[in-house]
Amino acid sequence: MNERLALLGSVDPGVAESEVFRLALQHSVAELGALGGTIHLRGPMSALRLVSATGLPTALTGPWEIIDQEGPLAPARALHEGDRTGKGVWIPGAAADRADPDVPICPSRAPIPGSGLAAVPVIRDERSIGALTVITGKNGEPTSAHWQFLREVVAWTEERMEQAPLPAGPVHSEMSGDRLRQALKEVRVGSWDWHIANGELIWDEAAMELYGTRPEEYTARVENWMRCVHPDDLGPTLALVDRAIRGHTVFEAEYRVRGLDGTYGWHQARGRATYDENGEPLRMIGMGWNSNESRTARDALGRALRHMSDGFLAVDDDWRITFANLEAERTLDLSEAELFGRVLWDLPTVRELPGLERRCRKAAAEDKPTGFDIRVPGTGLRYHLRLVPGPDGRTLYLQDVTEKRRHEEERRIAERAASERAARIAELTAALAKATTSRDVVEAVARRVLPPFAASGLAVQTIEDDRLCTVGAIGYPKDFLAEIANRPLTPNRPCHDAISTETPVFLSSSAEFVAGYPHLVGMPARAAQEAWAFLPLTASGNTFGVCVVTFDRPRRLTDEERTLLTTISALVAQALDRARLYDAEYSRSRELQRGLLPRELPDLAACTAAARYLPAAQGMGVGGDWYDIIPLSGGQVALVVGDVMGHGLPQAATMGRLRTAVHTLADLELPPDEIMSHLNDIVGNMGEESYATCLYALYDSITQTCSITRAGHPPPAVVHPDGTVYFPALTADPPLGAAEPPFETVELKVPEGSLLVLYTDGLVESSKREIDEGMGELARLLRGAYEAGTEGDLEGLCDTLTTGLLPAEQPSADDAALLVARLHALTGDRVASWPLPDDPRAAGQARRHVREQLSAWGLADLTPTTELLASELVGNVVRHAKGPVRLRLLHGAELICEVFDGSLTMPRIRRATETDEGGRGLQLITALSQRWGTRYTPTGKCIWTEQALHPPEGGRGDVGEDALELMFLGAGEFDDIEELRGLGDLS
């Protein structure tokens, strides 16, 4: 131990601080058997800077480079605790062994190698200025002898630091002329402003460059400066800072600074501190510059400032000029001799600059570097003035930035224009991406292309069968649009030239238009346009149209504008090509949907009706709403409305399948609830995602009863003849595909002349209106029609309802169907019914009833045919079915003959051979009636026939005498058949 101290004592005074630190650390680590050691020196504010390390890798020393001198780490604690106790600080490596396990031992909170940290303070002038720290090995906490050794090593270090020479500047050698000129050219003086109280350090742009710091790395903290100073020079420089602050003197130092390339160069700094009323230091403001060059270069600094391209003025605290270079003389129009000693504000040139003195004095009062632009009145010149406070006054830099600012303004304008163009293209691209139809594309182009270019007209045309068809146009007279619509694509026209060459055609004026196309001399006047841009529309290598942008005054587009329009036309072409595919698919879908809906409503005695189908707004796809009126037997009619959920071709196809199924099931004369059950099975078998709503109303004109069944559908509106509107209370069964049969059927008594209004939810419900609110509005419109006396016109009533509920200016997101039916009763004088015996006499009685009733109705011409039909039907009942038997005649738009019996067996038409005794009855019925059929009744079945009231000559239903003779036996011939003996007397 003593040998090591003796060895250190033999070191000659005057060695560099870095060598002192190296020797002190090496002997301390060796004597304690430690793993490594560090020396930190106190910097400005609360920072400790690592100035030397031994035995430790860079990865371990990195976090220790700058640490908080008020923190809990060993070097910081040694500054305070070691100073008070005269002892060192020991921190065990294991957290469990420390008094406070939560206190970190390392800045990164990572564990350290070894058993702990031992630190002793370094003191100068009775003040702790740093600490020596060792990382102990397996021996653990130092012994008393070791602590004594560390204190003696530190004492040796403190002594040698006092004896260490100050950092030596660069070698003074003479410079060649070229190097001197380069030095003069590159003179850079940076200013800095250090707020001593909070550690903030403000550098200007030049200082940032001098201190090798990139803007993105700059944190405006004094630590920035400490990191870039050479470790060997940091201690002496900090001592000079401390001495200047304590002694209220000027700080001057020369030290090495790390540049951006990692190498160190010499740097000079000069500054002075300011103090508050209590004498406490507040700020230090100063300047710095490179001092790498020789003394000749330093002497040339004045000449460089004298001849530098920017104006340079130095003034004292009273604003008297102490130095001015040639550029400042030229700017102020006075020589150096005339300027020296004069107050800056007294100069004639300065007095012509309003507000300059006020701004400079304000900046000086703030005592920090500042800069701003000034304009010289009447000259158009602009200068940038930078004012830098210094220890002995202020320095003013004056730079002519007229051209620089002009270029900056031009660049800003160009960048703003480019940004606006990019924004317009982005907006147009977004709008075109949302455009679904060709009309959407045209509207998007009109809104986002015409205004920025101050254009007045737009026309988009596509090629269809070698003709130009107008997709959309804005800003042209109607006569001109009619002229260009559907024109052949002929050569020697601007549209043809743009399309054939796939190159835009730009015409800047009417004169240029006529010069290029003399045979179209009147077109500009008819279009009321002066300048034109014909832009070909090309997508996927196919040019299919032209986009025409026009101006109502002469306009020569710049190259940039033409390029932008060409770019826009490419975007429009892609969007329009996509929209045309959608338009074609939409048209096919609409045609399919129209084909699936009724082309016209039947003319029935039981009801008169009108209907509307309103598709959703274009872009929503076709829907699955439908309506239907199905005439049935016995004066009955079925009114149906339904809605397949969703939009698209699959929904339209599903609607067609359901409508066909409803027709088929209705023709079977099934009850409404059974029909709905079958529809539910059909929809359920289509898949999990298939759902539909439906309402089926069966109206019997004889009983004036309406039987209604629904599945997830809004209830109908019933309007009595007095204008009373109500919605029947129906059970809200789930939609088809999700419902569980049976379905409930509600029967309503409906007076003659009442309205039954069926509709889908798209008519009364939207994103802005609840369905209850929509149904209330529907009721209000119906009452209003009755109050206005317009309810008789069903077509007009449909228009009133659709206009009131679905205004044209508010596109709907859902399609809607509406069916309005006025119900009519078949009065008692047009209905005749008779019971018949369940024996062979029934046929004769039926013929007699028919003759009498048709004669009373004035339908004697139909008597022979009707007798045949009634006789055949009754004969079949007597022979093949069972009673009770009943005959009914209905006189409506047609003559209907019905025969009721108590059997559930349905007759079947079949082909009879020459040897068959029967099988020809139904063939005869088919030949004599317009149509016939059967239906079940609560007590059995009904077989019915339908005849036209006025059959055509020689058509179906016209029966001759020979047919009668063939069909009926003579009166005496009945006796040959045992079962029919005696029937001849009953005819």
Side-chain angles (χ1 to χ4, degrees):
M1 184 179 301
N2 292 330
E3 289 81 358
R4 293 185 182 279
L5 292 175
L7 184 60
L8 288 175
S10 65
V11 176
D12 293 332
V15 297
E17 276 190 354
S18 58
E19 181 66 11
V20 172
F21 296 155
R22 183 183 66 81
L23 292 172
L25 285 175
Q26 287 181 348
H27 285 282
S28 297
V29 169
E31 181 64 31
L32 271 68
L35 303 180
T38 63
I39 291 181
H40 286 80
L41 292 182
R42 189 197 298 263
M45 295 303 298
S46 60
L48 277 175
R49 172 75 153 84
L50 177 67
V51 296
S52 186
T54 188
L56 302 175
T58 304
L60 185 60
T61 60
W64 293 87
E65 184 176 349
I66 294 180
I67 63 176
D68 185 1
Q69 67 183 17
E70 303 296 335
L73 300 179
R77 290 177 57 183
L79 287 179
H80 309 292
E81 298 178 17
D83 189 19
R84 292 195 304 269
T85 63
K87 297 170 58 178
V89 172
W90 164 251
I91 301 179
D97 298 335
R98 296 197 289 270
D100 186 353
D102 295 331
V103 175
I105 194 172
C106 178
S108 61
R109 291 188 173 270
I112 63 168
S115 58
L117 297 178
V120 293
V122 178
I123 300 174
R124 173 188 290 169
D125 296 333
E126 299 181 356
R127 178 173 177 264
S128 298
I129 63 169
L132 182 149
T133 307
V134 294
I135 302 177
T136 59
K138 62 182 180 180
N139 295 330
E141 182 178 1
T143 64
S144 298
H146 286 153
W147 283 116
Q148 181 61 32
F149 175 78
L150 290 177
R151 283 193 292 273
E152 292 185 14
V153 169
V154 167
W156 175 84
T157 303
E158 294 166 353
E159 178 184 358
R160 289 297 191 268
M161 287 176 65
E162 290 288 343
Q163 299 168 353
L166 294 176
V171 178
H172 295 279
S173 61
E174 293 301 320
M175 298 176 61
S176 65
D178 291 340
R179 293 186 64 197
L180 179 58
R181 283 192 295 273
Q182 184 68 18
L184 295 178
K185 180 179 179 181
E186 296 181 355
V187 168
R188 294 283 284 175
V189 178
S191 61
W192 45 266
D193 185 353
W194 173 31
H195 291 248
I196 300 174
N198 58 21
E200 183 182 25
L201 179 62
I202 306 298
W203 284 339
D204 64 5
E205 183 179 349
M208 205 174 300
E209 180 179 342
L210 291 172
Y211 287 103
T213 301
R214 296 182 177 87
E216 61 270 17
E217 300 171 350
Y218 177 56
T219 61
R221 301 294 302 172
V222 73
E223 286 82 357
N224 277 108
W225 173 79
M226 293 178 64
R227 286 192 178 95
C228 65
V229 177
H230 194 286
D232 290 349
D233 302 343
L234 182 61
T237 305
L238 291 176
L240 292 174
V241 172
D242 186 65
R243 187 177 298 122
I245 293 175
R246 291 174 178 273
H248 292 232
T249 60
V250 174
F251 161 68
E252 289 185 285
E254 187 171 20
Y255 48 87
R256 285 166 291 181
V257 172
R258 185 176 61 238
L260 289 173
D261 59 357
T263 63
Y264 285 91
W266 287 95
H267 176 86
Q268 278 191 330
R270 191 169 188 267
R272 180 186 291 273
T274 61
Y275 305 86
D276 62 14
E277 62 275 7
N278 299 321
E280 293 297 323
L282 294 177
R283 299 160 59 190
M284 178 177 281
I285 301 170
M287 296 180 294
W289 58 91
N290 286 330
S291 59
N292 273 330
E293 300 301 340
S294 67
R295 179 62 58 186
T296 304
R298 299 190 199 183
D299 294 340
L301 178 59
R303 296 197 301 274
L305 292 175
R306 176 74 176 159
H307 295 278
M308 65 189 297
S309 59
D310 295 342
F312 182 86
L313 283 172
V315 297
D316 60 16
D317 291 336
D318 296 325
W319 298 94
R320 296 186 180 276
I321 298 173
T322 59
F323 179 85
N325 69 353
L326 292 176
E327 181 62 21
E329 294 177 20
R330 186 190 65 78
T331 303
L332 299 174
D333 198 23
L334 293 170
S335 66
E336 183 180 15
E338 294 173 312
L339 291 172
F340 189 79
R342 295 187 63 178
V343 176
L344 179 63
W345 317 123
D346 294 340
L347 302 180
T349 307
V350 175
R351 287 200 299 267
E352 295 176 358
L353 301 176
L356 178 60
E357 181 180 358
R358 176 183 54 79
R359 297 176 71 178
C360 288
R361 288 187 181 278
K362 180 181 178 182
E366 295 174 354
D367 206 20
K368 63 180 181 180
T370 188
F372 50 86
D373 281 8
I374 56 177
R375 296 177 181 269
V376 180
T379 64
L381 297 177
R382 293 180 65 177
Y383 290 89
H384 182 74
L385 179 67
R386 188 160 68 98
L387 188 148
V388 180
D392 305 317
R394 298 163 186 85
T395 303
L396 291 86
Y397 298 86
L398 195 64
Q399 181 184 14
D400 187 346
V401 294
T402 305
E403 289 300 312
K404 181 180 180 181
R405 294 293 185 263
R406 183 178 63 81
H407 291 312
E408 289 175 351
E409 182 65 21
E410 292 174 352
R411 184 169 62 253
R412 280 195 296 270
I413 292 174
E415 290 174 352
R416 184 166 57 249
S419 176
E420 291 174 354
R421 287 194 302 272
R424 285 199 295 269
I425 291 180
E427 291 176 1
L428 178 62
T429 302
L432 292 177
K434 296 178 182 178
T436 305
T437 67
S438 299
R439 183 171 296 278
D440 293 340
V441 173
V442 174
E443 291 177 355
V445 175
R447 285 196 303 269
R448 290 173 173 81
V449 175
L450 297 189
F453 286 91
S456 57
L458 171 71
V460 178
Q461 294 185 301
T462 58
I463 303 173
E464 305 289 345
D465 299 327
D466 293 328
R467 305 181 78 87
L468 281 177
C469 299
T470 303
V471 175
I474 295 173
Y476 300 97
K478 292 183 179 179
D479 294 342
F480 178 75
L481 293 177
E483 176 186 343
I484 64 174
N486 203 29
R487 288 183 60 90
L489 185 62
T490 55
N492 201 21
R493 283 179 172 268
C495 287
H496 177 274
D497 292 349
I499 293 173
S500 60
T501 62
E502 298 183 359
T503 303
V505 176
F506 297 100
L507 302 171
S508 304
S509 63
S510 297
E512 188 174 337
F513 188 104
V514 173
Y517 304 94
H519 58 291
L520 302 176
V521 61
M523 180 172 285
R526 293 194 298 275
Q529 304 293 334
E530 292 285 339
W532 308 68
F534 296 88
L535 309 169
L537 299 176
T538 304
S540 303
N542 174 42
T543 301
F544 61 89
V546 63
C547 175
V548 185
V549 179
T550 56
F551 306 84
D552 55 8
R553 63 191 65 184
R555 171 76 182 276
R556 183 171 297 279
L557 298 171
T558 64
D559 292 341
E560 188 175 353
E561 289 175 324
R562 295 185 178 194
T563 300
L564 182 58
L565 281 175
T566 304
T567 303
I568 288 173
S569 69
L571 297 174
V572 174
Q574 296 291 336
L576 189 59
D577 188 48
R578 183 176 64 251
R580 292 171 73 205
L581 294 176
Y582 173 83
D583 289 342
E585 179 182 355
Y586 185 77
S587 298
R588 290 192 295 268
S589 301
R590 290 291 302 276
E591 290 173 5
L592 170 63
Q593 191 174 44
R594 282 193 295 267
L596 294 175
L597 290 171
R599 296 186 178 180
E600 59 181 15
L601 298 177
D603 184 13
L604 304 175
C607 70
T608 54
R612 293 289 185 273
Y613 172 77
L614 290 85
Q618 196 163 4
M620 298 303 298
V622 296
D625 291 20
W626 92 93
Y627 59 87
D628 216 338
I629 294 182
I630 306 171
L632 301 175
S633 64
Q636 299 182 109
V637 60
L639 302 111
V640 192
V641 66
D643 181 6
V644 178
M645 297 183 184
H647 294 86
L649 286 177
Q651 283 70 27
T654 299
M655 178 265 284
R657 294 172 62 184
L658 290 180
R659 181 167 176 255
T660 302
V662 170
H663 262 274
T664 303
L665 295 170
D667 286 341
L668 295 176
E669 307 267 6
L670 297 177
D673 58 333
E674 291 189 26
I675 290 178
M676 202 64 70
S677 296
H678 286 298
L679 291 178
N680 185 63
D681 293 339
I682 293 173
V683 175
N685 292 331
M686 291 180 180
E688 295 181 358
E689 301 301 323
S690 296
Y691 298 100
T693 65
C694 183
L695 186 145
Y696 186 96
L698 179 63
Y699 173 64
D700 189 332
S701 62
I702 298 173
T703 63
Q704 300 182 45
T705 300
C706 189
S707 303
I708 303 174
T709 300
R710 66 169 180 160
H713 204 86
V718 180
V719 188
H720 285 180
D722 61 357
T724 303
V725 182
Y726 74 98
F727 296 92
L730 306 177
T731 301
D733 290 314
L736 298 176
E740 292 290 338
F743 291 88
E744 181 181 354
T745 300
V746 175
E747 291 189 353
L748 307 175
K749 277 292 186 178
V750 185
E752 159 71 25
S754 297
L755 288 183
L756 188 64
V757 181
L758 280 64
Y759 53 91
T760 59
D761 59 353
L763 185 71
V764 295
E765 185 180 28
S766 68
S767 59
K768 299 180 180 179
R769 182 175 59 196
E770 296 293 334
I771 190 170
D772 292 340
E773 181 184 350
M775 291 169 61
E777 182 65 15
L778 172 62
R780 187 189 65 80
L781 292 172
L782 289 170
R783 285 192 295 269
Y786 272 78
E787 292 171 0
T790 59
E791 78 282 359
D793 180 9
L794 295 186
E795 294 292 340
L797 180 59
C798 283
D799 292 338
T800 299
L801 296 179
T802 55
T803 302
L805 293 168
L806 298 175
E809 63 274 9
Q810 298 178 7
S812 175
D814 194 9
D815 52 344
L818 172 66
L819 177 62
V820 179
R822 174 166 280 111
L823 305 179
H824 304 296
L826 196 60
T827 56
D829 60 339
R830 289 180 173 260
V831 180
S833 179
W834 305 272
L836 297 175
D838 187 14
D839 57 41
R841 295 173 302 165
Q845 293 182 19
R847 290 195 296 273
R848 185 176 68 251
H849 291 320
V850 167
R851 287 194 301 269
E852 293 172 355
Q853 189 62 50
L854 294 187
S855 176
W857 283 344
L859 300 177
D861 292 343
L862 297 180
T863 300
T865 304
T866 309
E867 284 190 57
L868 284 174
L869 293 172
S871 180
E872 180 62 29
L873 294 177
V874 171
N876 281 339
V877 168
V878 171
R879 188 170 185 179
H880 300 292
K882 63 180 180 178
V885 183
R886 186 163 58 93
L887 172 68
R888 187 169 71 171
L889 295 178
L890 305 178
H891 180 197
E894 295 85 13
L895 177 64
I896 297 174
C897 176
E898 298 178 328
V899 176
F900 299 83
D901 64 59
S903 172
L904 297 177
T905 303
M906 291 293 184
R908 273 186 314 112
I909 189 170
R910 60 186 177 86
R911 182 177 296 279
T913 64
E914 295 179 356
T915 59
D916 289 340
E917 294 184 1
R920 296 179 178 85
L922 292 182
Q923 294 180 15
L924 178 64
I925 290 174
T926 301
L928 295 179
S929 63
Q930 285 190 144
R931 62 190 185 111
W932 69 277
T934 62
R935 69 175 182 271
Y936 288 107
T937 67
T939 59
K941 69 175 180 294
C942 170
I943 306 175
W944 55 270
T945 64
E946 181 181 292
Q947 301 166 257
L949 296 181
H950 305 287
E953 289 292 330
R956 180 176 292 186
D958 187 10
V959 182
E961 294 295 332
D962 53 346
L964 297 176
E965 293 175 359
L966 291 173
M967 284 299 301
F968 295 99
L969 300 173
E973 295 177 294
F974 284 107
D975 296 334
D976 296 335
I977 303 175
E978 182 179 354
E979 294 84 349
L980 302 180
R981 188 174 292 121
L983 281 179
D985 299 334
L986 301 176
S987 61

